[in-house]
Amino acid sequence: MAAVTTSTERSLNKLAIVGVLIITMIFLAPIYWIASTAFKPRNLATTIPPTVVFQPEISPFVKLFTKRSQLRTAPTPEQYAAAPWWERLVFDGGEKVVRSGRGEVQWSGYPSRFMNSLIVAITSTILAVGMGTFTAYGFSRFKIKGEQDLLFFILSTRMLPPVVVAIPMFLMYRVVGLNDTHWGLIILYTAFNLSFSVWLMKGFMDEIPREYEEAALVDGYTRMEAFFKIVLPEAATGIAATAVFCFITAWNEYAFALIMTNRRAQTAPPFIPSQVGSGLPDWTVIAAGTFLFLLPVAIFTFLLRKHLLRGMSFGAIRK
């Protein structure tokens, strides 16, 4: 009987592994498709059936970082030979790099939009996690009248999707002059992530024994000294996990960035779809921009991957 049970368990384990592999492949398929399209020649991006084996090239990335126009007349052999190697890739695609009257290359807006995404996402994450940590500590360690009602009110700020409040926020921002500014987006993303930060960090704060602080207070520490020297190091795992989720949300946000920004503070998500190229949409350029946009959040999540499992197991999820 024991042998039959063991055999059944092994079969179930194998089926579970196969199921996990299938689900993983389904979720990774879009990422592979984006990455492969980013290195495809333009004429192979929309072939039916799809082209899987091809000679990779970096011309989509060159086009992503430069302004281009349709090539009406082919360049002369002298012009082609005198052009930099990366500009020849644009020539080969039937386009030319736009230059100023002094011959300077006109770069696209992608680098500035990418930098805007970094500034807004990093700053809003620091603010949301910092304020969320202090707020969660207060709810965890002190008796607050109407605590459950206050926590529910904080959570209620996440009940409406961003697109619902985008228009009212746009009108208010226009009055106070925060449209198309970095601080305008930072305030919105911080407010949007703060409720999640508070609820997740409260769970981590509840896991830290109060006796640690009480011992520190007996030894002469102030409440703030006990918080920074005792509680904060113990909550480092929760802070890291919360930071990952807040950063991903701010990094990928589209609705606010589309409506609230136009040029100066525009982030990468609304800018990437606008890179349709001249004539037919150039999906390779869009894929190249998306591929580069995925790298920072993938690297950040990979570096803090050890903290994510606990972040999903404790705190607001468990509560």
Side-chain angles (χ1 to χ4, degrees):
M1 187 67 180
V4 174
T5 303
T6 303
S7 177
T8 303
E9 291 178 351
R10 290 177 180 175
S11 299
L12 292 176
N13 289 336
K14 291 180 180 179
L15 289 175
I17 293 173
V18 172
V20 169
L21 290 175
I22 293 174
I23 294 174
T24 302
M25 292 176 63
I26 292 174
F27 277 97
L28 291 180
I31 298 177
Y32 163 77
W33 197 258
I34 290 172
S36 62
T37 304
F39 292 93
K40 280 183 179 180
R42 183 174 181 177
N43 62 331
L44 298 181
T46 57
T47 56
I48 300 176
T51 303
V52 179
V53 179
F54 58 91
Q55 182 68 32
E57 58 181 45
I58 63 171
S59 58
F61 295 92
V62 176
K63 295 178 181 179
L64 176 67
F65 286 97
T66 57
K67 291 184 178 180
R68 315 171 316 279
S69 62
Q70 195 70 31
L71 189 62
R72 297 185 179 182
T73 59
T76 63
E78 292 78 12
Q79 291 175 330
Y80 189 87
W85 64 269
W86 51 267
E87 191 170 355
R88 297 175 194 171
L89 297 176
V90 181
F91 281 146
D92 295 339
E95 295 177 312
K96 64 178 180 179
V97 175
V98 176
R99 293 179 178 270
S100 64
R102 293 182 296 179
E104 297 176 349
V105 174
Q106 297 294 300
W107 304 103
S108 71
Y110 185 79
S112 62
R113 268 67 172 187
F114 191 89
M115 185 59 63
N116 288 340
S117 291
L118 285 175
I119 294 172
V120 171
I122 292 175
T123 306
S124 64
T125 298
I126 293 174
L127 291 176
V129 175
M131 290 188 290
T133 301
F134 279 104
T135 306
Y137 178 77
F139 277 116
S140 178
R141 291 297 187 265
F142 303 103
K143 292 182 178 180
I144 301 175
K145 186 177 180 179
E147 174 183 340
Q148 296 302 321
D149 294 332
L150 290 173
L151 286 172
F152 178 79
F153 173 76
I154 293 173
L155 183 63
S156 66
T157 60
R158 291 293 296 266
M159 293 182 181
L160 291 176
V163 69
V164 174
V165 297
I167 300 301
M169 291 302 301
F170 173 82
L171 298 176
M172 288 187 288
Y173 268 32
R174 187 174 61 180
V175 173
V176 298
L178 285 176
N179 275 341
D180 201 18
T181 61
H182 293 92
W183 278 111
L185 282 183
I186 289 170
I187 293 172
L188 279 174
Y189 292 170
T190 301
F192 191 72
N193 278 327
L194 187 57
S195 60
F196 178 82
S197 176
V198 170
W199 273 76
L200 190 58
M201 284 306 304
K202 185 180 182 304
F204 280 100
M205 291 298 177
D206 291 340
E207 294 294 320
I208 301 174
R210 295 172 181 263
E211 289 77 12
Y212 293 171
E213 296 164 78
E214 294 173 355
L217 294 175
V218 170
D219 289 341
Y221 282 66
T222 64
R223 173 67 68 173
M224 290 302 294
E225 288 176 338
F227 172 77
F228 282 106
K229 295 182 179 180
I230 305 298
V231 178
L232 211 58
E234 293 291 328
T237 299
I239 292 173
T242 305
V244 169
F245 291 115
C246 290
F247 182 81
I248 292 174
T249 302
W251 185 257
N252 294 331
E253 203 283 323
Y254 180 82
F256 283 141
L258 178 65
I259 298 175
M260 300 295 182
T261 63
N262 181 30
R263 182 179 55 86
R264 290 179 299 171
Q266 188 181 49
T267 55
F271 177 78
I272 292 174
S274 67
Q275 303 306 292
V276 295
S278 56
L280 295 175
D282 194 343
W283 298 112
T284 61
V285 176
I286 297 176
T290 305
F291 177 76
L292 292 179
F293 184 71
L294 289 174
L295 290 181
V297 70
I299 294 172
F300 183 64
T301 305
F302 178 79
L303 293 176
L304 298 179
R305 66 191 184 280
K306 294 181 180 179
H307 304 295
L308 293 180
L309 180 60
R310 188 179 180 190
M312 291 296 293
S313 304
F314 288 85
I317 305 300
R318 195 184 74 170
K319 186 176 179 67

